[in-house]
Amino acid sequence: MFLSPTRIVSSALMVIALVLVGCGDVSQKSKTSANNTSNNTENNLTNNGTNSDPNNTIEVVPGEVTTLASVAKEVAMVGGTAPQAGNTLVLVDVKIGNGLDESLSVGYDKFRLKTDDNLERSASALSAATMPSCPIDALQSAGSVLSCQIAFEIPRGVEPATLIFDAPAGVIESTLRLEACTVCDGRCVDLMTDNAHCGVCSRAVSAEGQCVNGAPGCPSGAFMCHGNCQSSSQRCNIDVEIPKDCFSVCGDAGLTCERANYFYACGDEGISDRDADCRAVPPADCSEYYVNCECGP
């Protein structure tokens, strides 16, 4: 079937009218659509940029991109990976204020580090394993403040001087100071987590244990007994040769008393009590006694 010229013109006018009514401002809708897509992407990042330092704050400046970074910290490893021989790893905590009206690319590949030898180095791919991280394809939402960590691997002996961020309108530089690490056995260690240097250099934890906040600890489902990790289904036996209650003995070890066993002699009579009250103490006028405390987590 063929349409007459009159029908063709009417149909064309109707299509044009539908386009104008349905689309409105095409350029504005494209921008909104792009922002909505960005906001629904898992790599679209936004947070309030808070950290433990109340003075380390940054504000969003309309129409501008701002950064805040002041400290580079030496670390033993990132994501379980240590630096190559002769190098060291540094982490930089950075805050980014996105005052633009669109999402901002803030992947770690946008950052460079200038060291005191006047050389610039790209961010390490280990930046993806930092917490919190800026993945290589990360987008920061408009009007937000973002905090993330950037990792750099640099030769040992040089120090970080400036963090460089390649922003849309040009580079932004932040002067850095180095927060040196603790060196044990010739390498950078984290005394809070290093099993060979827990809390202080050369203090190792047991093979089954782990260093937790600078102190020997045990994995989930185990507890410390005489310096070793033991299953929570077992008991930690502690012997004492003084008249002391097991409630206190176990408590001093950070444990709870499960059972108290007393062995002592009063005159010619030997007495044993293998299930005594944890708070009981053998009579003071008895001799040749000791206390066995069964403690648990």
Side-chain angles (χ1 to χ4, degrees):
M1 179 178 69
F2 295 95
L3 297 174
S4 66
T6 302
R7 285 192 173 185
I8 293 175
V9 172
S10 299
S11 299
L13 291 174
M14 183 177 293
V15 170
I16 293 172
L18 287 173
V19 170
L20 291 175
V21 173
C23 293
D25 185 346
V26 176
S27 62
Q28 180 62 38
K29 185 169 183 179
S30 297
K31 182 182 292 184
T32 303
S33 176
N35 285 340
N36 287 342
T37 300
S38 175
N39 288 333
N40 290 330
T41 303
E42 64 178 352
N43 286 326
N44 185 262
L45 306 174
T46 177
N47 61 47
N48 60 12
T50 58
N51 66 13
S52 59
D53 184 357
N55 297 318
N56 192 14
T57 58
I58 185 173
E59 295 182 356
V60 175
V61 180
E64 296 184 14
V65 176
T66 54
T67 64
L68 179 63
S70 59
V71 179
K73 298 175 289 186
E74 284 191 54
V75 294
M77 58 181 61
V78 175
T81 302
Q84 297 182 8
N87 290 349
T88 186
L89 286 171
V90 296
L91 286 182
V92 179
D93 290 303
V94 61
K95 289 185 177 182
I96 307 166
N98 181 13
L100 306 180
D101 60 357
E102 58 187 10
S103 295
L104 174 66
S105 178
V106 291
Y108 65 80
D109 58 322
K110 305 298 182 188
F111 292 86
R112 290 172 284 135
L113 182 70
K114 181 185 289 185
T115 48
D116 59 359
D117 56 2
N118 209 34
L119 295 178
E120 293 183 7
R121 295 171 172 85
S122 300
S124 168
L126 293 176
S127 298
T130 60
M131 291 296 289
S133 67
C134 279
I136 200 167
D137 56 350
L139 295 175
Q140 178 185 353
S141 299
S144 68
V145 173
L146 173 72
S147 296
C148 62
Q149 288 185 327
I150 312 297
F152 296 89
E153 184 168 351
I154 60 176
R156 185 167 293 281
V158 302
E159 294 189 5
T162 307
L163 179 70
I164 302 172
F165 175 51
D166 292 319
V171 299
I172 302 176
E173 298 187 349
S174 302
T175 302
L176 299 174
R177 62 178 174 83
L178 178 66
E179 187 176 278
C181 69
T182 302
V183 179
C184 298
D185 293 338
R187 67 180 181 89
C188 184
V189 301
D190 184 352
L191 296 178
M192 295 293 99
T193 60
D194 195 291
N195 286 344
H197 308 280
C198 187
V200 296
C201 286
S202 301
R203 184 171 75 178
V205 300
S206 64
E208 306 88 359
Q210 60 188 30
C211 186
V212 180
N213 294 326
C218 297
S220 177
F223 66 99
M224 189 68 67
C225 176
H226 302 298
N228 296 302
C229 289
Q230 185 166 292
S231 169
S232 57
S233 62
Q234 300 174 304
R235 294 291 172 264
C236 184
N237 291 300
I238 303 176
D239 293 335
V240 291
E241 296 181 351
I242 55 175
K244 189 173 183 180
D245 66 284
C246 283
F247 179 84
S248 299
V249 171
C250 295
D252 292 343
L255 304 172
T256 58
C257 177
E258 301 290 340
R259 183 178 177 183
N261 303 308
Y262 296 132
F263 306 89
Y264 52 92
C266 294
D268 296 331
E269 184 179 3
I271 302 174
S272 66
D273 188 347
R274 300 189 61 85
D275 194 12
D277 183 349
C278 284
R279 295 179 180 272
V281 179
D285 56 348
C286 296
S287 60
E288 298 179 4
Y289 56 81
Y290 74 90
V291 180
N292 169 253
C293 303
E294 296 182 15
C295 307

